[in-house]
Amino acid sequence: MESLNNTTGWTLNKNFIALISSQKEDGSFSSVVGQKSIEDLPKGDLLIRVEYSSLNYKDALSASGAPGVTKTYPHTPGIDAAGVVEESLDNKYPVGTRVIITGSDLGMNTSGGFGQYIRVPAAWAIQCPDELSNKEAMMLGTAGLTAGLCIHEINQYLKLENASVVVSGATGGVGSMAVNILSSLGATVTAITGKNEEEFLHNIGANTILQRDEFLSSTRHPLSRGVYDAAIDVAGGNVLSCILASMNYEGIIAACGNVAGAHFKTTVFPFILRGNRLIGVDSAQKKINIRETVWQMLASDWAVHSLNSMCKEVRLDDLSIEIEKILNGKQTGRVLLNLN
């Protein structure tokens, strides 16, 4: 292979391995493992050798050509990456620095973490906390960060110890991370799921497990009996409608997803009669200083326990199978991509 010299005099392979998603002549999309060139990466301050990435629902949408996610193909998805800086134009991140990249435009319209190299602006990077390995950082990934951001928002208003908290989509990436962290903080956690994964949910800290259909059918509108002090909702749709009807006085709901639908029904009553707060949480464009704060918390007081039991490790060759699983709602926990 040809080579490219970086500022340290090390020699980098000009070509690297990546998952490449393309649109076929019949309009469908497919993903294959192939070679890309470092020279074809976009301009940026940091060239990063990616050691680990992780699979998120947004990655699956990008790989499958979902409208409004990625504009131009062929494309390498992967909104998460953790690795080592190998070229730097920014003194804050010298060569050899371990960094985490999540969100911004990575993996959307910028070549993403499902390849062995990325090049990004320094403003997208966060130095990986010393307490976390790059592998552990990607076991958490955007899912862990999003769960942490939800907890950060709730924590502004409510002491989580002994609080009653409900989490929807509890077997997914964000949901499972949220259940685990909330449990470790002393909350009483109710997990809502559409899967038969009771043992998994109990093992990660859920006190009570509700099947989604049972929860939906047992909730009265516009207000049901107040049960929960706080909620983390990754589902949206009618699940969020029922959560809103089930909150205690001054309850707080952090909404961060729409896997059950983008539209939900409610009235003013949860807000004017119970003083509830509905807070939207986005991890992709959140201010970098808040993301840094949450990553530090995830490395310390909000550490996720038993990460290995919540994650499945795969290589690039196996990733297309996992993408199909997550698109079909068959994924449990996290999928870690090893690019070493």
Side-chain angles (χ1 to χ4, degrees), residues 223-243:
L223 287 178
S224 197
R225 182 172 65 91
V227 180
Y228 308 111
D229 302 312
I232 294 178
D233 175 55
V234 306
N238 53 2
V239 175
L240 178 55
S241 301
C242 291
I243 287 175

Side-chain angles (χ1 to χ4, degrees), residues 34 39-40 49 62 130 134 146 156 165 182 245 254 280 303-304 311 316:
E39 289 184 346
D40 292 335
R49 175 172 53 83
S62 174
D130 291 339
N134 288 345
T146 303
Q156 311 300 309
V165 187
L182 290 165
V304 176
C311 296
L316 271 173

